[in-house]
Amino acid sequence: MYSEKELVKECLCDNAKAQEEFYKRYAPKMYGVCLRFAKNRMEADDILQEGFIKAFANLKSFRNEGSLEGWVRRTIVNTAINHVKKFAKYKKDLDIDTAEPVQKMSSSVVDTISVNELLKLIKDLPIGYKMVFNLNVMEGYTHREIASLLDISENTSKSQLSRARHTLQRKVNELYGIDRS
Amino acid sequence: MEEGFNNIDDLLRNSLDDYQAQPSAKVWKAVSRSLFFSGMGKIIILISGIAVLSVAAYLYWGYSNVGETSGSNVEATEIGRTQNEDMASSETAVEGQNQTLGKEEGIYYENAGLSENDVTTNNNNLSGKPDHDFGSPQVEDVPLAEISTTDKTGEVNDVIVTTMVSASVASNVTIQTNTSQKVYPGLPRLSEESPMERMAIKTLDANYLFYQYNPIGNINERTQFKGLSGFPDHDYGRAKLFSYGVYVSPEVIFMNDEAKTRKLQLNFDAVTNYKPTKDFYLQGGLGIGVSQDDGRYNVDYEQYDSVGYYLEVNSYTIDPVTGKPVFKTSIENVYDTVAYNKLSLTGNRYTYLRLSGFMGYRVHYAKSFSVFVKGGLTYSILVNSYEPNPEFSNGDALNLKITKETAQRINDTWQASVGVGFNCRLSNSVTLTGEPMFNYYLRPVYERGYNAKNPYSLGLKLGLLFKF
């Protein structure tokens, strides 16, 4: 079991065992990230594969500042963004916020929703919503960063996020029969 | 409302942030294959670089060192050697003017008065029979003044002579020179007055010059006397017109495209060398080359998917205060058939039959090591293509259309190759050879339209040559 620094050092020396450990250590978590961006598991596999190849190729640029997992995650997210931009035709919706109220859910409702169901909710979002929601809420990117990454305006990013939230909220309500009135 | 937003954000973030799932085993296979090829490419380039630098350094320092000791007044003494003696036991001593070399048992000197110019022969471990019989030794008493030669600058240098002595035959061998007559071991006296003998003297003098500038290389240089009676063609007595070899040569191909794509190829070749002269040789080869490449498939499909939503007005009321309508709405998702496109890559393999023709020239050699330059052409014919179908599994996909976009390989191509190589003789009949090569494809490997530029490659040919 290598420490983070040792793992990086050994991977840079083309140590096959270390490279496999690197992959096994981070792949499951990164695959969870990929699944949120991808439409299906096959696409998630492609993103993960491309992301890890990039991670190994650019590992020399990791300077042991911050966690290795965070660095790998950023690489995977960037790969996912490029992948989606390259292969999917996502719409840039107009910047119209809805005034639909969003309800607070009880903890009992939250407890009854499985992770897979939540994942499906995100995966089923229109691709523009999904990208912005993932980047802002899940990955912590600002609207300015998202605008830059996706080549959209900040306002579009904000409106996409708002719509994503409403859609998710409505789907949760529908699934668990929460009265909206 | 903000609280509600935070609530759904927290719900998803807390639930999915640490979510883990096991990816398909194919992912690691693909990643590890990519890492392997990347590593192999680095190793090939590294080994080729080291080999080129080593050869260059050897040539540079080898000649430089010779230059430092090859001034006037240099005596070269070669140590006698028996047929079964290991090459490592041979050595050469270079001494300064007037230095008396050690005279060991079994060495006989005549012309003891020639303190500056006499032939000095050193000998270690002389035992058994000599490997060459130089014939009857001839001894000439030549005045000191006559044993000088004049170099290009007009300076008078002492004569440098090299010979071998066998203790068992107790032969006293002396090579001496003067301006009108020269005597070499195993040869009759040569006179400059005869045109034929003058030619022979020139040949032998050329060898003398070679010795002067290559004092460390005087074992194999005896082949310089090839064709003259009393001297063998080769130290090992195994000079052959033909030799045969096998090569394995990994090669990194730079596709010369915008993406700077690199491919790997592994070649296996069997060759025959024809060596009509001492330094020049021709090589013909037959082999196979196995090349890896990506298969590209464009997968277009449609899927019933959510494309957005709208607010449906369920009812409305008139606000009694403002008199304006208040709408009660619900969100309705809109689904439609959405077109998707993805690229699927496969691992293709191509096998080529290779016919090659090379010319080589030995530029330097010392003991069992030699350096040569080499160039030639290779003609490759595509004999087998392995192109697996793409894998695609999506139960929701509609109107699936898979378009093959794999760059079509052309059926035959030419490569021009140049390289520097080295031979290391392992035994009388086996030689290890290594040749970093630069190859330029005279035609693109893909059909027109895929890659307009001609690729080039760096390879390292490693092989064994056999003389039977």
Side-chain angles (χ1 to χ4, degrees):
Chain A
M1 188 77 174
Y2 297 103
S3 70
E4 251 184 28
K5 275 188 179 178
E6 286 171 343
L7 193 60
V8 171
K9 190 179 168 187
E10 290 300 316
C11 286
L12 287 174
C13 295
D14 290 332
N15 180 334
K17 197 176 166 187
Q19 287 170 337
E20 187 170 0
E21 185 175 328
F22 182 96
Y23 176 82
K24 284 183 176 170
R25 192 181 289 186
Y26 297 115
K29 202 162 190 178
M30 296 307 127
Y31 193 54
V33 175
C34 293
L35 283 170
R36 280 194 279 107
F37 282 92
K39 198 70 191 170
N40 50 50
R41 293 184 79 91
M42 194 174 152
E43 197 177 337
D45 282 347
D46 288 347
I47 295 170
L48 187 73
Q49 175 184 324
E50 199 180 329
F52 265 94
I53 290 172
K54 278 185 187 171
F56 280 118
N58 298 311
L59 198 53
K60 55 182 175 292
S61 68
F62 177 67
R63 297 174 184 173
N64 289 310
E65 295 166 359
S67 76
L68 181 59
E69 184 184 319
W71 181 84
V72 176
R73 190 173 181 128
R74 278 196 300 280
T75 305
I76 295 288
V77 168
N78 285 336
T79 307
I81 292 168
N82 289 334
H83 189 89
V84 171
K85 280 166 81 174
K86 198 171 176 181
F87 296 114
K89 300 156 187 172
Y90 65 94
K91 294 166 73 174
K92 295 176 182 175
D93 294 345
L94 295 173
D95 187 7
I96 301 172
D97 278 330
T98 61
E100 187 70 14
V102 178
Q103 288 187 316
K104 184 176 182 182
M105 288 173 289
S106 68
S107 59
S108 61
V109 169
V110 172
D111 292 342
T112 59
I113 304 175
S114 75
V115 172
N116 283 336
E117 284 171 327
L118 289 174
L119 191 63
K120 190 171 185 319
L121 290 180
I122 294 179
K123 282 164 71 175
D124 287 346
L125 282 173
I127 197 160
Y129 298 3
K130 182 166 65 180
M131 292 298 289
V132 174
F133 185 84
N134 270 325
L135 292 172
N136 180 272
V137 176
M138 305 302 294
E139 304 298 334
Y141 286 75
T142 65
H143 284 295
R144 176 172 291 184
E145 289 169 331
I146 294 168
S148 170
L149 286 168
L150 299 181
D151 299 325
I152 56 176
S153 70
E154 278 188 56
N155 283 339
T156 302
S157 175
K158 286 174 187 171
S159 69
Q160 296 267 15
L161 177 65
S162 174
R163 290 178 184 190
R165 281 169 167 159
H166 279 293
T167 304
L168 288 169
Q169 178 75 59
R170 184 185 53 76
K171 285 184 174 177
V172 169
N173 292 346
E174 281 175 1
L175 276 172
Y176 299 98
I178 298 170
D179 186 7
R180 298 170 56 249
S181 61
Chain B
M1 194 165 78
E2 192 61 37
E3 189 182 3
F5 279 160
N6 289 337
N7 191 226
I8 189 103
D9 287 356
D10 290 343
L11 167 68
L12 291 164
R13 194 183 295 122
N14 295 337
S15 303
L16 296 177
D17 197 38
D18 289 327
Y19 176 69
Q20 298 188 10
Q22 207 58 39
S24 161
K26 290 176 188 169
V27 177
W28 170 239
K29 275 187 184 174
V31 171
S32 60
R33 191 176 61 182
S34 167
L35 289 170
F36 173 76
F37 285 146
S38 169
M40 279 291 289
K42 282 182 200 169
I43 289 168
I44 291 170
I45 291 170
L46 185 68
I47 291 175
S48 301
I50 289 171
V52 169
L53 287 175
S54 302
V55 168
Y58 176 82
L59 287 172
Y60 178 77
W61 291 110
Y63 283 117
S64 296
N65 290 340
V66 168
E68 288 169 9
T69 58
S70 63
S72 61
N73 307 325
V74 174
E75 286 183 348
T77 301
E78 183 182 25
I79 299 192
R81 178 175 163 275
T82 58
Q83 192 162 16
N84 297 321
E85 188 180 354
D86 191 298
M87 292 295 289
S89 67
S90 300
E91 61 179 80
T92 299
V94 179
E95 302 292 342
Q97 185 179 13
N98 297 329
Q99 183 170 346
T100 303
L101 297 175
K103 297 175 174 59
E104 298 184 5
E105 189 177 357
I107 310 299
Y108 299 85
Y109 296 89
E110 294 195 5
N111 304 320
L114 301 176
S115 60
E116 287 185 272
N117 304 296
D118 61 342
V119 175
T120 55
T121 305
N122 203 349
N123 198 329
N124 285 338
N125 302 323
L126 286 174
S127 61
K129 293 184 178 178
D131 53 350
H132 308 298
D133 180 6
F134 295 102
S136 302
Q138 298 187 28
V139 179
E140 292 288 324
D141 286 327
V142 182
L144 184 61
E146 294 181 1
I147 315 177
S148 297
T149 59
T150 305
D151 65 14
K152 291 176 182 175
T153 60
E155 293 176 358
V156 175
N157 296 329
D158 293 340
V159 173
I160 298 170
V161 288
T162 302
T163 188
M164 298 177 64
V165 172
S166 162
S168 62
V169 295
S171 301
N172 304 328
V173 180
T174 302
I175 302 175
Q176 296 171 349
T177 178
N178 63 32
T179 52
S180 59
Q181 288 185 334
K182 295 192 177 182
V183 178
Y184 292 87
L187 295 176
R189 181 192 305 271
L190 298 174
S191 167
E192 290 186 346
E193 292 171 3
S194 161
M196 291 300 288
E197 291 180 10
R198 201 159 50 237
M199 283 179 65
I201 288 171
K202 280 182 182 175
T203 306
L204 293 168
D205 279 352
N207 288 297
Y208 147 67
L209 288 172
F210 189 80
Y211 278 108
Q212 185 175 18
Y213 290 102
N214 293 276
I216 61 170
N218 54 7
I219 297 296
N220 288 335
E221 275 78 41
R222 276 173 284 163
T223 57
Q224 297 289 327
F225 296 96
K226 179 180 177 180
L228 295 175
S229 61
F231 288 87
D233 281 357
H234 197 281
D235 275 346
Y236 304 95
R238 295 183 63 85
K240 298 283 185 183
L241 207 56
F242 288 95
S243 61
Y244 310 92
V246 287
Y247 285 100
V248 58
S249 47
E251 201 177 298
V252 185
I253 304 172
F254 299 86
M255 300 310 289
N256 211 6
D257 53 10
E258 286 182 2
K260 308 286 182 197
T261 314
R262 288 186 293 182
K263 310 287 180 192
L264 276 183
Q265 180 163 320
L266 191 60
N267 304 315
F268 302 92
D269 294 296
V271 301
T272 299
N273 290 333
Y274 171 66
K275 197 173 179 185
T277 69
K278 179 170 56 66
D279 293 321
F280 177 76
Y281 69 93
L282 296 170
Q283 185 180 80
L286 178 69
I288 59 166
V290 181
S291 181
Q292 296 277 357
D293 205 349
D294 291 330
R296 294 168 63 91
Y297 292 88
N298 209 1
V299 182
D300 288 293
Y301 63 97
E302 293 176 343
Q303 190 169 323
Y304 198 57
D305 217 340
S306 168
V307 293
Y309 68 96
Y310 65 92
L311 300 176
E312 185 171 328
V313 179
N314 297 319
S315 61
Y316 71 95
T317 55
I318 302 296
D319 189 324
V321 180
T322 61
K324 292 182 178 178
V326 176
F327 297 98
K328 193 172 176 82
T329 62
S330 64
I331 296 176
E332 294 298 330
N333 258 349
V334 178
Y335 289 88
D336 198 359
T337 304
V338 180
Y340 288 94
N341 169 269
K342 83 185 289 294
L343 186 69
S344 181
L345 299 178
T346 60
N348 292 353
R349 193 168 58 239
Y350 301 92
T351 307
Y352 290 89
L353 179 69
R354 291 158 51 86
L355 301 167
S356 58
F358 283 89
M359 288 187 298
Y361 188 79
R362 190 172 61 172
V363 293
H364 183 67
Y365 58 103
K367 296 188 177 177
S368 56
F369 184 81
S370 63
V371 181
F372 56 89
V373 291
K374 187 176 179 181
L377 291 172
T378 302
Y379 180 59
S380 300
I381 308 165
L382 182 64
V383 291
N384 187 45
S385 301
Y386 170 70
E387 296 178 341
N389 291 324
E391 292 180 3
F392 180 78
S393 58
N394 182 352
D396 299 328
L398 305 166
N399 298 326
L400 180 66
K401 183 185 172 191
I402 298 176
T403 310
K404 181 182 175 184
E405 293 194 340
T406 305
Q408 190 66 39
R409 292 255 174 167
I410 58 173
N411 284 328
D412 60 312
T413 185
W414 284 91
Q415 294 170 46
S417 307
V418 291
V420 177
F422 59 87
N423 279 349
C424 181
R425 191 184 298 278
L426 303 178
S427 73
N428 280 352
S429 54
V430 182
T431 298
L432 177 69
T433 180
E435 305 168 13
M437 300 290 288
F438 173 81
N439 309 298
Y440 182 76
Y441 287 71
L442 301 180
R443 291 174 61 188
V445 294
Y446 298 128
E447 293 287 1
R448 185 176 298 177
Y450 286 108
N451 185 1
K453 292 182 180 175
N454 296 11
Y456 56 92
S457 70
L458 287 175
L460 178 63
K461 294 181 79 168
L462 293 170
L464 292 171
L465 298 174
F466 303 94
K467 283 190 297 185
F468 300 111

